Every structure is written in structure tokens, then in C-alpha cells.
Amino acid sequence: NAGVTQTPKFRILKIGQSMTLQCTQDMNHNYMYWYRQDPGMGLKLIYYSVGAGITDKGEVPNGYNVSRSTTEDFPLRLELAAPSQTSVYFCASRGRHEQFFGPGTRLTVL
Amino acid sequence: DQQVKQNSPSLSVQEGRISILNCDYTNSMFDYFLWYKKYPAEGPTFLISISSIKDKNEDGRFTVFLNKSAKHLSLHIVPSQPGDSAVYFCAASANSGGSNYKLTFGKGTLLTVNP
């Protein structure tokens, strides 16, 4: 049981490039979330999904897109990367009450 | 508008002593509270939680206290161990009314336990 996995661990992007952050969970959870954490700050919700085919915006969705075609996968897409998107990104899935987090992707946009 | 506040960015305690981490919230709709622990270069891991119908929840060395009237919760770690050194995040959720169980996080408190 791997829990929540994320790839890649690290990535450097140039301004204007695009990329997809991958997230997979093997716990059969319906609810999944994407957060970003900036230095000295808490986690801020980007997007979330309550099940396959259903997604909704969180607190800071601008510049991102998501899809949820299966229960297991919840990829986050960055279009036209900007320096303000330099952050650590965490994916999570929800169990009975708590959320389980992946190890994170550290993204730098230069 | 910070709905969950952890006003102490850092806390340093001696091994074996008690660590008390504090958290305040402003949203009266929050009815479930969680503490997460985070080591560098890792994702947050769930530590302990409490529902608003309780005022205390205990799990081994970790106890969370909830004071609803003051909108305040605290995490007690007794005794503190060097391996407890990490960033601790307080999080809150409004688990009713179609909230979709979204968590609102505080900024975190860096706990350092000195041997």
C-alpha cells in the first residue's frame, strides 16, 4: 500500500513553459486535493475533487487546471508557468476524517 | 483573512519536558480540527484530531485540547523527544453543509526539542 505518490520530486521550469504534476493514490479514496506551500506559510488549497469526473476550485486556482478521469489519479496542470508558481506542491486524499499527503513536488520557475 | 492562526512561529523545549503548541481559529463553522507534523522534504503526516463535540483527545504522548468558547486548541506533547522536532500545522474543517471536507491550515510552528 503506497498511499499517495507524486512525481516528479523536483522540477525547474522556464517562464511560459507548461507541465503536469502527477498524483496517484491506492486507497480508493473519493476525495483528493492539491495544495501549494510557500515558505513560512501554511498549505493553500488549489483544486479538489470529490470523485472521478468532478473537480472544483479551491482558494488559489489561477494558473492551474486539473482533471479526474479515474479514482486513483488527480493530475495538476500548469499552463504558462510564472515565477509566482515557484512553490512546493502537495497532493492529498481523504480517508475517514484525515487527509493523507504525498511527499511533494518542489517546483522552481525561472 | 487568516481563519486559522498559529501565532508562535517557533518553540524550543528540552527533551523530557512538555511541548505546548497553540492554535486559534475565527470561523464558527469549523467543527473538526487536526494536527499535522511535517519533516523537511516530506509531506505532512496526520498526528491527532478532535471533533467539536469533545474537549480533549489523547493518543499516547499527544493530547489535543479544544476550547470552543475561546476558539482555541492546543497540542500537548509529553514527554518531548528529539524526534518530535518538526513543523506542526493546525488545520480545521467544516464537516457539514457541503464543505467537501476542505482543510484550512495555519502557518505552522517549528518545534525544536533539544537533547
PDB file of all heavy atoms in Angstrom, chain A residues 31 33 35 37 40-43 45 48 50 90 94 97-99 101-103, chain B residues 32 34 36 38 41-44 46 89 95 100-103 105-107:
ATOM      1  N   TYR A  31     -12.199  11.566  -2.299  1.00  0.00           N
ATOM      2  CA  TYR A  31     -11.789  12.961  -2.209  1.00  0.00           C
ATOM      3  C   TYR A  31     -10.280  13.089  -2.398  1.00  0.00           C
ATOM      4  O   TYR A  31      -9.499  12.394  -1.739  1.00  0.00           O
ATOM      5  CB  TYR A  31     -12.154  13.549  -0.844  1.00  0.00           C
ATOM      6  CG  TYR A  31     -13.632  13.764  -0.625  1.00  0.00           C
ATOM      7  CD1 TYR A  31     -14.464  12.706  -0.303  1.00  0.00           C
ATOM      8  CD2 TYR A  31     -14.180  15.036  -0.711  1.00  0.00           C
ATOM      9  CE1 TYR A  31     -15.819  12.904  -0.091  1.00  0.00           C
ATOM     10  CE2 TYR A  31     -15.531  15.248  -0.498  1.00  0.00           C
ATOM     11  CZ  TYR A  31     -16.347  14.173  -0.193  1.00  0.00           C
ATOM     12  OH  TYR A  31     -17.683  14.376   0.023  1.00  0.00           O
ATOM     13  N   TYR A  33      -7.082  16.267  -3.214  1.00  0.00           N
ATOM     14  CA  TYR A  33      -6.820  17.702  -3.081  1.00  0.00           C
ATOM     15  C   TYR A  33      -5.432  18.017  -3.608  1.00  0.00           C
ATOM     16  O   TYR A  33      -4.495  17.216  -3.481  1.00  0.00           O
ATOM     17  CB  TYR A  33      -6.891  18.120  -1.607  1.00  0.00           C
ATOM     18  CG  TYR A  33      -8.161  17.707  -0.897  1.00  0.00           C
ATOM     19  CD1 TYR A  33      -8.292  16.424  -0.376  1.00  0.00           C
ATOM     20  CD2 TYR A  33      -9.214  18.596  -0.736  1.00  0.00           C
ATOM     21  CE1 TYR A  33      -9.453  16.034   0.274  1.00  0.00           C
ATOM     22  CE2 TYR A  33     -10.386  18.216  -0.078  1.00  0.00           C
ATOM     23  CZ  TYR A  33     -10.493  16.933   0.421  1.00  0.00           C
ATOM     24  OH  TYR A  33     -11.644  16.551   1.070  1.00  0.00           O
ATOM     25  N   TYR A  35      -2.548  21.119  -2.938  1.00  0.00           N
ATOM     26  CA  TYR A  35      -2.157  22.281  -2.139  1.00  0.00           C
ATOM     27  C   TYR A  35      -0.824  22.801  -2.643  1.00  0.00           C
ATOM     28  O   TYR A  35      -0.023  22.076  -3.210  1.00  0.00           O
ATOM     29  CB  TYR A  35      -1.971  21.902  -0.667  1.00  0.00           C
ATOM     30  CG  TYR A  35      -3.209  21.448   0.058  1.00  0.00           C
ATOM     31  CD1 TYR A  35      -3.580  20.102   0.063  1.00  0.00           C
ATOM     32  CD2 TYR A  35      -3.988  22.347   0.775  1.00  0.00           C
ATOM     33  CE1 TYR A  35      -4.698  19.672   0.751  1.00  0.00           C
ATOM     34  CE2 TYR A  35      -5.117  21.920   1.471  1.00  0.00           C
ATOM     35  CZ  TYR A  35      -5.461  20.591   1.442  1.00  0.00           C
ATOM     36  OH  TYR A  35      -6.572  20.168   2.131  1.00  0.00           O
ATOM     37  N   GLN A  37       2.503  25.074  -0.905  1.00  0.00           N
ATOM     38  CA  GLN A  37       3.054  25.646   0.316  1.00  0.00           C
ATOM     39  C   GLN A  37       4.209  26.562  -0.041  1.00  0.00           C
ATOM     40  O   GLN A  37       5.231  26.107  -0.588  1.00  0.00           O
ATOM     41  CB  GLN A  37       3.544  24.575   1.287  1.00  0.00           C
ATOM     42  CG  GLN A  37       3.966  25.187   2.619  1.00  0.00           C
ATOM     43  CD  GLN A  37       4.723  24.265   3.511  1.00  0.00           C
ATOM     44  OE1 GLN A  37       5.150  23.179   3.110  1.00  0.00           O
ATOM     45  NE2 GLN A  37       4.916  24.674   4.746  1.00  0.00           N
ATOM     46  N   GLY A  40       7.317  29.679   4.836  1.00  0.00           N
ATOM     47  CA  GLY A  40       6.762  30.353   6.001  1.00  0.00           C
ATOM     48  C   GLY A  40       5.254  30.441   6.027  1.00  0.00           C
ATOM     49  O   GLY A  40       4.683  31.128   6.882  1.00  0.00           O
ATOM     50  N   MET A  41       4.624  29.739   5.106  1.00  0.00           N
ATOM     51  CA  MET A  41       3.169  29.807   5.017  1.00  0.00           C
ATOM     52  C   MET A  41       2.572  28.423   5.216  1.00  0.00           C
ATOM     53  O   MET A  41       3.237  27.399   5.099  1.00  0.00           O
ATOM     54  CB  MET A  41       2.741  30.341   3.642  1.00  0.00           C
ATOM     55  CG  MET A  41       3.319  31.682   3.299  1.00  0.00           C
ATOM     56  SD  MET A  41       2.697  32.982   4.367  1.00  0.00           S
ATOM     57  CE  MET A  41       1.026  33.125   3.764  1.00  0.00           C
ATOM     58  N   GLY A  42       1.274  28.424   5.509  1.00  0.00           N
ATOM     59  CA  GLY A  42       0.562  27.155   5.560  1.00  0.00           C
ATOM     60  C   GLY A  42       0.243  26.669   4.165  1.00  0.00           C
ATOM     61  O   GLY A  42       0.622  27.261   3.166  1.00  0.00           O
ATOM     62  N   LEU A  43      -0.465  25.540   4.107  1.00  0.00           N
ATOM     63  CA  LEU A  43      -0.852  24.979   2.820  1.00  0.00           C
ATOM     64  C   LEU A  43      -2.116  25.679   2.326  1.00  0.00           C
ATOM     65  O   LEU A  43      -3.067  25.884   3.086  1.00  0.00           O
ATOM     66  CB  LEU A  43      -1.120  23.480   2.958  1.00  0.00           C
ATOM     67  CG  LEU A  43       0.111  22.584   3.033  1.00  0.00           C
ATOM     68  CD1 LEU A  43       0.797  22.687   4.380  1.00  0.00           C
ATOM     69  CD2 LEU A  43      -0.261  21.140   2.744  1.00  0.00           C
ATOM     70  N   LEU A  45      -5.172  25.602  -0.591  1.00  0.00           N
ATOM     71  CA  LEU A  45      -5.861  24.677  -1.484  1.00  0.00           C
ATOM     72  C   LEU A  45      -5.986  25.262  -2.887  1.00  0.00           C
ATOM     73  O   LEU A  45      -6.469  26.373  -3.069  1.00  0.00           O
ATOM     74  CB  LEU A  45      -7.257  24.367  -0.917  1.00  0.00           C
ATOM     75  CG  LEU A  45      -8.097  23.353  -1.686  1.00  0.00           C
ATOM     76  CD1 LEU A  45      -7.446  21.978  -1.655  1.00  0.00           C
ATOM     77  CD2 LEU A  45      -9.498  23.281  -1.095  1.00  0.00           C
ATOM     78  N   TYR A  48      -9.707  20.718  -5.809  1.00  0.00           N
ATOM     79  CA  TYR A  48     -10.050  19.463  -5.169  1.00  0.00           C
ATOM     80  C   TYR A  48     -11.056  18.705  -6.020  1.00  0.00           C
ATOM     81  O   TYR A  48     -11.637  19.257  -6.964  1.00  0.00           O
ATOM     82  CB  TYR A  48     -10.580  19.677  -3.743  1.00  0.00           C
ATOM     83  CG  TYR A  48     -11.908  20.386  -3.651  1.00  0.00           C
ATOM     84  CD1 TYR A  48     -13.092  19.674  -3.496  1.00  0.00           C
ATOM     85  CD2 TYR A  48     -11.970  21.777  -3.707  1.00  0.00           C
ATOM     86  CE1 TYR A  48     -14.308  20.332  -3.404  1.00  0.00           C
ATOM     87  CE2 TYR A  48     -13.178  22.443  -3.619  1.00  0.00           C
ATOM     88  CZ  TYR A  48     -14.338  21.719  -3.461  1.00  0.00           C
ATOM     89  OH  TYR A  48     -15.546  22.378  -3.372  1.00  0.00           O
ATOM     90  N   VAL A  50     -14.169  15.515  -5.655  1.00  0.00           N
ATOM     91  CA  VAL A  50     -14.967  14.663  -4.766  1.00  0.00           C
ATOM     92  C   VAL A  50     -15.230  13.295  -5.393  1.00  0.00           C
ATOM     93  O   VAL A  50     -15.920  12.465  -4.794  1.00  0.00           O
ATOM     94  CB  VAL A  50     -16.289  15.338  -4.358  1.00  0.00           C
ATOM     95  CG1 VAL A  50     -16.003  16.659  -3.671  1.00  0.00           C
ATOM     96  CG2 VAL A  50     -17.192  15.534  -5.555  1.00  0.00           C
ATOM     97  N   PHE A  90       1.690  19.795  -2.860  1.00  0.00           N
ATOM     98  CA  PHE A  90       1.308  18.551  -2.195  1.00  0.00           C
ATOM     99  C   PHE A  90      -0.056  18.096  -2.682  1.00  0.00           C
ATOM    100  O   PHE A  90      -0.996  18.890  -2.766  1.00  0.00           O
ATOM    101  CB  PHE A  90       1.244  18.732  -0.678  1.00  0.00           C
ATOM    102  CG  PHE A  90       2.576  18.995  -0.035  1.00  0.00           C
ATOM    103  CD1 PHE A  90       2.942  20.270   0.339  1.00  0.00           C
ATOM    104  CD2 PHE A  90       3.456  17.944   0.192  1.00  0.00           C
ATOM    105  CE1 PHE A  90       4.162  20.512   0.932  1.00  0.00           C
ATOM    106  CE2 PHE A  90       4.684  18.175   0.783  1.00  0.00           C
ATOM    107  CZ  PHE A  90       5.046  19.464   1.149  1.00  0.00           C
ATOM    108  N   ARG A  94      -8.426  11.919   0.999  1.00  0.00           N
ATOM    109  CA  ARG A  94      -9.104  11.932   2.301  1.00  0.00           C
ATOM    110  C   ARG A  94      -9.605  10.552   2.680  1.00  0.00           C
ATOM    111  O   ARG A  94     -10.300   9.892   1.921  1.00  0.00           O
ATOM    112  CB  ARG A  94     -10.274  12.909   2.267  1.00  0.00           C
ATOM    113  CG  ARG A  94     -11.027  12.961   3.581  1.00  0.00           C
ATOM    114  CD  ARG A  94     -12.204  13.881   3.519  1.00  0.00           C
ATOM    115  NE  ARG A  94     -13.034  13.724   4.688  1.00  0.00           N
ATOM    116  CZ  ARG A  94     -14.052  12.880   4.796  1.00  0.00           C
ATOM    117  NH1 ARG A  94     -14.402  12.138   3.767  1.00  0.00           N
ATOM    118  NH2 ARG A  94     -14.743  12.794   5.900  1.00  0.00           N
ATOM    119  N   HIS A  97     -11.573  10.833   8.179  1.00  0.00           N
ATOM    120  CA  HIS A  97     -11.592  12.237   8.616  1.00  0.00           C
ATOM    121  C   HIS A  97     -10.346  12.973   8.140  1.00  0.00           C
ATOM    122  O   HIS A  97     -10.417  14.111   7.726  1.00  0.00           O
ATOM    123  CB  HIS A  97     -11.653  12.333  10.143  1.00  0.00           C
ATOM    124  CG  HIS A  97     -12.948  11.889  10.722  1.00  0.00           C
ATOM    125  ND1 HIS A  97     -14.128  12.562  10.501  1.00  0.00           N
ATOM    126  CD2 HIS A  97     -13.261  10.836  11.500  1.00  0.00           C
ATOM    127  CE1 HIS A  97     -15.106  11.934  11.129  1.00  0.00           C
ATOM    128  NE2 HIS A  97     -14.613  10.893  11.746  1.00  0.00           N
ATOM    129  N   GLU A  98      -9.183  12.287   8.220  1.00  0.00           N
ATOM    130  CA  GLU A  98      -7.941  12.985   7.934  1.00  0.00           C
ATOM    131  C   GLU A  98      -7.576  12.874   6.466  1.00  0.00           C
ATOM    132  O   GLU A  98      -8.060  11.999   5.751  1.00  0.00           O
ATOM    133  CB  GLU A  98      -6.818  12.409   8.807  1.00  0.00           C
ATOM    134  CG  GLU A  98      -6.398  10.990   8.456  1.00  0.00           C
ATOM    135  CD  GLU A  98      -7.250   9.933   9.130  1.00  0.00           C
ATOM    136  OE1 GLU A  98      -8.382  10.247   9.561  1.00  0.00           O
ATOM    137  OE2 GLU A  98      -6.794   8.784   9.197  1.00  0.00           O
ATOM    138  N   GLN A  99      -6.707  13.779   6.042  1.00  0.00           N
ATOM    139  CA  GLN A  99      -6.150  13.712   4.690  1.00  0.00           C
ATOM    140  C   GLN A  99      -4.749  13.136   4.761  1.00  0.00           C
ATOM    141  O   GLN A  99      -3.989  13.424   5.681  1.00  0.00           O
ATOM    142  CB  GLN A  99      -6.123  15.108   4.061  1.00  0.00           C
ATOM    143  CG  GLN A  99      -7.528  15.648   3.779  1.00  0.00           C
ATOM    144  CD  GLN A  99      -7.521  16.996   3.107  1.00  0.00           C
ATOM    145  OE1 GLN A  99      -6.508  17.448   2.575  1.00  0.00           O
ATOM    146  NE2 GLN A  99      -8.672  17.658   3.122  1.00  0.00           N
ATOM    147  N   PHE A 101      -1.161  12.822   2.800  1.00  0.00           N
ATOM    148  CA  PHE A 101      -0.408  13.632   1.851  1.00  0.00           C
ATOM    149  C   PHE A 101       0.680  12.833   1.151  1.00  0.00           C
ATOM    150  O   PHE A 101       1.278  11.912   1.729  1.00  0.00           O
ATOM    151  CB  PHE A 101       0.241  14.820   2.569  1.00  0.00           C
ATOM    152  CG  PHE A 101      -0.740  15.894   2.930  1.00  0.00           C
ATOM    153  CD1 PHE A 101      -1.528  15.785   4.059  1.00  0.00           C
ATOM    154  CD2 PHE A 101      -0.896  17.005   2.116  1.00  0.00           C
ATOM    155  CE1 PHE A 101      -2.455  16.768   4.389  1.00  0.00           C
ATOM    156  CE2 PHE A 101      -1.811  17.988   2.428  1.00  0.00           C
ATOM    157  CZ  PHE A 101      -2.589  17.875   3.575  1.00  0.00           C
ATOM    158  N   GLY A 102       0.966  13.250  -0.086  1.00  0.00           N
ATOM    159  CA  GLY A 102       2.117  12.738  -0.797  1.00  0.00           C
ATOM    160  C   GLY A 102       3.370  13.468  -0.343  1.00  0.00           C
ATOM    161  O   GLY A 102       3.303  14.399   0.458  1.00  0.00           O
ATOM    162  N   PRO A 103       4.538  13.061  -0.887  1.00  0.00           N
ATOM    163  CA  PRO A 103       5.811  13.639  -0.440  1.00  0.00           C
ATOM    164  C   PRO A 103       6.099  15.018  -1.013  1.00  0.00           C
ATOM    165  O   PRO A 103       7.029  15.686  -0.557  1.00  0.00           O
ATOM    166  CB  PRO A 103       6.843  12.629  -0.942  1.00  0.00           C
ATOM    167  CG  PRO A 103       6.188  12.001  -2.123  1.00  0.00           C
ATOM    168  CD  PRO A 103       4.732  11.957  -1.822  1.00  0.00           C
TER     169      PRO A 103
ATOM    170  N   TYR B  32     -14.197  20.377  13.099  1.00  0.00           N
ATOM    171  CA  TYR B  32     -13.248  19.279  13.197  1.00  0.00           C
ATOM    172  C   TYR B  32     -11.858  19.859  13.049  1.00  0.00           C
ATOM    173  O   TYR B  32     -11.616  20.691  12.155  1.00  0.00           O
ATOM    174  CB  TYR B  32     -13.520  18.242  12.098  1.00  0.00           C
ATOM    175  CG  TYR B  32     -12.950  16.885  12.409  1.00  0.00           C
ATOM    176  CD1 TYR B  32     -13.621  16.016  13.261  1.00  0.00           C
ATOM    177  CD2 TYR B  32     -11.739  16.473  11.879  1.00  0.00           C
ATOM    178  CE1 TYR B  32     -13.121  14.776  13.571  1.00  0.00           C
ATOM    179  CE2 TYR B  32     -11.220  15.230  12.181  1.00  0.00           C
ATOM    180  CZ  TYR B  32     -11.917  14.386  13.032  1.00  0.00           C
ATOM    181  OH  TYR B  32     -11.418  13.156  13.349  1.00  0.00           O
ATOM    182  N   LEU B  34      -7.487  19.232  13.279  1.00  0.00           N
ATOM    183  CA  LEU B  34      -6.445  18.230  13.103  1.00  0.00           C
ATOM    184  C   LEU B  34      -5.081  18.874  13.331  1.00  0.00           C
ATOM    185  O   LEU B  34      -4.891  20.068  13.079  1.00  0.00           O
ATOM    186  CB  LEU B  34      -6.481  17.654  11.688  1.00  0.00           C
ATOM    187  CG  LEU B  34      -7.818  17.109  11.175  1.00  0.00           C
ATOM    188  CD1 LEU B  34      -8.624  18.192  10.454  1.00  0.00           C
ATOM    189  CD2 LEU B  34      -7.597  15.941  10.211  1.00  0.00           C
ATOM    190  N   TYR B  36      -1.073  18.209  12.126  1.00  0.00           N
ATOM    191  CA  TYR B  36      -0.177  17.502  11.239  1.00  0.00           C
ATOM    192  C   TYR B  36       1.248  17.844  11.625  1.00  0.00           C
ATOM    193  O   TYR B  36       1.552  18.945  12.073  1.00  0.00           O
ATOM    194  CB  TYR B  36      -0.412  17.924   9.777  1.00  0.00           C
ATOM    195  CG  TYR B  36      -1.597  17.265   9.133  1.00  0.00           C
ATOM    196  CD1 TYR B  36      -2.881  17.785   9.304  1.00  0.00           C
ATOM    197  CD2 TYR B  36      -1.448  16.126   8.357  1.00  0.00           C
ATOM    198  CE1 TYR B  36      -3.973  17.175   8.711  1.00  0.00           C
ATOM    199  CE2 TYR B  36      -2.539  15.512   7.761  1.00  0.00           C
ATOM    200  CZ  TYR B  36      -3.791  16.047   7.956  1.00  0.00           C
ATOM    201  OH  TYR B  36      -4.879  15.438   7.382  1.00  0.00           O
ATOM    202  N   LYS B  38       5.257  17.838  10.115  1.00  0.00           N
ATOM    203  CA  LYS B  38       5.951  17.820   8.828  1.00  0.00           C
ATOM    204  C   LYS B  38       7.455  17.912   9.041  1.00  0.00           C
ATOM    205  O   LYS B  38       7.952  18.875   9.629  1.00  0.00           O
ATOM    206  CB  LYS B  38       5.472  18.976   7.947  1.00  0.00           C
ATOM    207  CG  LYS B  38       6.077  18.934   6.537  1.00  0.00           C
ATOM    208  CD  LYS B  38       5.657  20.098   5.705  1.00  0.00           C
ATOM    209  CE  LYS B  38       6.281  20.017   4.316  1.00  0.00           C
ATOM    210  NZ  LYS B  38       7.742  19.922   4.343  1.00  0.00           N
ATOM    211  N   ALA B  41      11.351  18.221   3.526  1.00  0.00           N
ATOM    212  CA  ALA B  41      11.349  17.428   2.293  1.00  0.00           C
ATOM    213  C   ALA B  41      10.383  16.236   2.342  1.00  0.00           C
ATOM    214  O   ALA B  41      10.532  15.284   1.576  1.00  0.00           O
ATOM    215  CB  ALA B  41      12.755  16.942   1.940  1.00  0.00           C
ATOM    216  N   GLU B  42       9.414  16.285   3.240  1.00  0.00           N
ATOM    217  CA  GLU B  42       8.384  15.251   3.282  1.00  0.00           C
ATOM    218  C   GLU B  42       7.009  15.906   3.300  1.00  0.00           C
ATOM    219  O   GLU B  42       6.866  17.094   3.593  1.00  0.00           O
ATOM    220  CB  GLU B  42       8.535  14.380   4.531  1.00  0.00           C
ATOM    221  CG  GLU B  42       9.791  13.551   4.551  1.00  0.00           C
ATOM    222  CD  GLU B  42       9.841  12.625   5.760  1.00  0.00           C
ATOM    223  OE1 GLU B  42       8.808  12.486   6.449  1.00  0.00           O
ATOM    224  OE2 GLU B  42      10.904  12.042   6.013  1.00  0.00           O
ATOM    225  N   GLY B  43       5.986  15.115   2.996  1.00  0.00           N
ATOM    226  CA  GLY B  43       4.630  15.628   3.119  1.00  0.00           C
ATOM    227  C   GLY B  43       4.172  15.628   4.564  1.00  0.00           C
ATOM    228  O   GLY B  43       4.739  14.927   5.397  1.00  0.00           O
ATOM    229  N   PRO B  44       3.154  16.445   4.879  1.00  0.00           N
ATOM    230  CA  PRO B  44       2.609  16.429   6.245  1.00  0.00           C
ATOM    231  C   PRO B  44       2.041  15.048   6.570  1.00  0.00           C
ATOM    232  O   PRO B  44       1.476  14.380   5.701  1.00  0.00           O
ATOM    233  CB  PRO B  44       1.488  17.470   6.182  1.00  0.00           C
ATOM    234  CG  PRO B  44       1.795  18.323   5.002  1.00  0.00           C
ATOM    235  CD  PRO B  44       2.475  17.421   4.027  1.00  0.00           C
ATOM    236  N   PHE B  46      -0.504  13.012   9.357  1.00  0.00           N
ATOM    237  CA  PHE B  46      -1.552  13.209  10.346  1.00  0.00           C
ATOM    238  C   PHE B  46      -1.086  12.760  11.727  1.00  0.00           C
ATOM    239  O   PHE B  46      -0.470  11.697  11.867  1.00  0.00           O
ATOM    240  CB  PHE B  46      -2.798  12.426   9.935  1.00  0.00           C
ATOM    241  CG  PHE B  46      -3.856  12.374  10.994  1.00  0.00           C
ATOM    242  CD1 PHE B  46      -4.596  13.496  11.288  1.00  0.00           C
ATOM    243  CD2 PHE B  46      -4.097  11.200  11.691  1.00  0.00           C
ATOM    244  CE1 PHE B  46      -5.564  13.446  12.266  1.00  0.00           C
ATOM    245  CE2 PHE B  46      -5.063  11.145  12.659  1.00  0.00           C
ATOM    246  CZ  PHE B  46      -5.793  12.269  12.963  1.00  0.00           C
ATOM    247  N   PHE B  89       1.471  21.728  11.997  1.00  0.00           N
ATOM    248  CA  PHE B  89       0.395  22.516  11.416  1.00  0.00           C
ATOM    249  C   PHE B  89      -0.923  22.186  12.095  1.00  0.00           C
ATOM    250  O   PHE B  89      -1.262  21.004  12.278  1.00  0.00           O
ATOM    251  CB  PHE B  89       0.253  22.220   9.920  1.00  0.00           C
ATOM    252  CG  PHE B  89       1.364  22.745   9.073  1.00  0.00           C
ATOM    253  CD1 PHE B  89       2.378  21.905   8.631  1.00  0.00           C
ATOM    254  CD2 PHE B  89       1.405  24.084   8.712  1.00  0.00           C
ATOM    255  CE1 PHE B  89       3.410  22.391   7.842  1.00  0.00           C
ATOM    256  CE2 PHE B  89       2.435  24.572   7.924  1.00  0.00           C
ATOM    257  CZ  PHE B  89       3.440  23.728   7.491  1.00  0.00           C
ATOM    258  N   ASN B  95     -17.187  20.191   8.599  1.00  0.00           N
ATOM    259  CA  ASN B  95     -17.558  18.915   8.004  1.00  0.00           C
ATOM    260  C   ASN B  95     -19.026  18.755   7.713  1.00  0.00           C
ATOM    261  O   ASN B  95     -19.502  17.660   7.442  1.00  0.00           O
ATOM    262  CB  ASN B  95     -17.095  17.773   8.923  1.00  0.00           C
ATOM    263  CG  ASN B  95     -15.625  17.492   8.733  1.00  0.00           C
ATOM    264  OD1 ASN B  95     -15.001  18.025   7.830  1.00  0.00           O
ATOM    265  ND2 ASN B  95     -15.068  16.674   9.580  1.00  0.00           N
ATOM    266  N   ASN B 100     -17.280  19.742   1.628  1.00  0.00           N
ATOM    267  CA  ASN B 100     -16.367  18.844   0.930  1.00  0.00           C
ATOM    268  C   ASN B 100     -15.068  18.614   1.690  1.00  0.00           C
ATOM    269  O   ASN B 100     -14.030  18.352   1.096  1.00  0.00           O
ATOM    270  CB  ASN B 100     -16.083  19.346  -0.490  1.00  0.00           C
ATOM    271  CG  ASN B 100     -17.306  19.215  -1.368  1.00  0.00           C
ATOM    272  OD1 ASN B 100     -18.005  18.206  -1.306  1.00  0.00           O
ATOM    273  ND2 ASN B 100     -17.589  20.212  -2.159  1.00  0.00           N
ATOM    274  N   TYR B 101     -15.151  18.770   3.029  1.00  0.00           N
ATOM    275  CA  TYR B 101     -14.054  18.389   3.911  1.00  0.00           C
ATOM    276  C   TYR B 101     -12.754  19.109   3.586  1.00  0.00           C
ATOM    277  O   TYR B 101     -11.670  18.563   3.748  1.00  0.00           O
ATOM    278  CB  TYR B 101     -13.861  16.874   3.880  1.00  0.00           C
ATOM    279  CG  TYR B 101     -15.164  16.155   4.176  1.00  0.00           C
ATOM    280  CD1 TYR B 101     -15.919  15.590   3.158  1.00  0.00           C
ATOM    281  CD2 TYR B 101     -15.641  16.076   5.481  1.00  0.00           C
ATOM    282  CE1 TYR B 101     -17.122  14.971   3.432  1.00  0.00           C
ATOM    283  CE2 TYR B 101     -16.844  15.450   5.757  1.00  0.00           C
ATOM    284  CZ  TYR B 101     -17.572  14.900   4.739  1.00  0.00           C
ATOM    285  OH  TYR B 101     -18.758  14.288   5.000  1.00  0.00           O
ATOM    286  N   LYS B 102     -12.854  20.313   3.097  1.00  0.00           N
ATOM    287  CA  LYS B 102     -11.652  21.087   2.813  1.00  0.00           C
ATOM    288  C   LYS B 102     -11.002  21.508   4.125  1.00  0.00           C
ATOM    289  O   LYS B 102     -11.681  21.865   5.071  1.00  0.00           O
ATOM    290  CB  LYS B 102     -12.012  22.314   1.979  1.00  0.00           C
ATOM    291  CG  LYS B 102     -12.493  21.972   0.577  1.00  0.00           C
ATOM    292  CD  LYS B 102     -12.871  23.211  -0.185  1.00  0.00           C
ATOM    293  CE  LYS B 102     -14.211  23.724   0.251  1.00  0.00           C
ATOM    294  NZ  LYS B 102     -14.677  24.860  -0.569  1.00  0.00           N
ATOM    295  N   LEU B 103      -9.672  21.449   4.144  1.00  0.00           N
ATOM    296  CA  LEU B 103      -8.933  21.841   5.331  1.00  0.00           C
ATOM    297  C   LEU B 103      -8.382  23.249   5.157  1.00  0.00           C
ATOM    298  O   LEU B 103      -7.894  23.605   4.091  1.00  0.00           O
ATOM    299  CB  LEU B 103      -7.770  20.879   5.584  1.00  0.00           C
ATOM    300  CG  LEU B 103      -8.127  19.449   5.992  1.00  0.00           C
ATOM    301  CD1 LEU B 103      -6.857  18.639   6.211  1.00  0.00           C
ATOM    302  CD2 LEU B 103      -8.978  19.438   7.243  1.00  0.00           C
ATOM    303  N   PHE B 105      -5.451  25.553   6.819  1.00  0.00           N
ATOM    304  CA  PHE B 105      -4.243  25.346   7.610  1.00  0.00           C
ATOM    305  C   PHE B 105      -3.738  26.641   8.228  1.00  0.00           C
ATOM    306  O   PHE B 105      -3.865  27.720   7.643  1.00  0.00           O
ATOM    307  CB  PHE B 105      -3.124  24.785   6.733  1.00  0.00           C
ATOM    308  CG  PHE B 105      -3.270  23.332   6.414  1.00  0.00           C
ATOM    309  CD1 PHE B 105      -4.067  22.913   5.363  1.00  0.00           C
ATOM    310  CD2 PHE B 105      -2.604  22.375   7.160  1.00  0.00           C
ATOM    311  CE1 PHE B 105      -4.210  21.568   5.065  1.00  0.00           C
ATOM    312  CE2 PHE B 105      -2.733  21.023   6.866  1.00  0.00           C
ATOM    313  CZ  PHE B 105      -3.539  20.630   5.820  1.00  0.00           C
ATOM    314  N   GLY B 106      -3.131  26.517   9.410  1.00  0.00           N
ATOM    315  CA  GLY B 106      -2.334  27.592   9.953  1.00  0.00           C
ATOM    316  C   GLY B 106      -0.960  27.608   9.289  1.00  0.00           C
ATOM    317  O   GLY B 106      -0.639  26.739   8.474  1.00  0.00           O
ATOM    318  N   LYS B 107      -0.126  28.597   9.672  1.00  0.00           N
ATOM    319  CA  LYS B 107       1.187  28.732   9.040  1.00  0.00           C
ATOM    320  C   LYS B 107       2.225  27.772   9.607  1.00  0.00           C
ATOM    321  O   LYS B 107       3.291  27.618   9.027  1.00  0.00           O
ATOM    322  CB  LYS B 107       1.690  30.164   9.186  1.00  0.00           C
ATOM    323  CG  LYS B 107       0.890  31.171   8.383  1.00  0.00           C
ATOM    324  CD  LYS B 107       1.526  32.560   8.486  1.00  0.00           C
ATOM    325  CE  LYS B 107       0.750  33.548   7.637  1.00  0.00           C
ATOM    326  NZ  LYS B 107       1.360  34.916   7.680  1.00  0.00           N
TER     327      LYS B 107
END
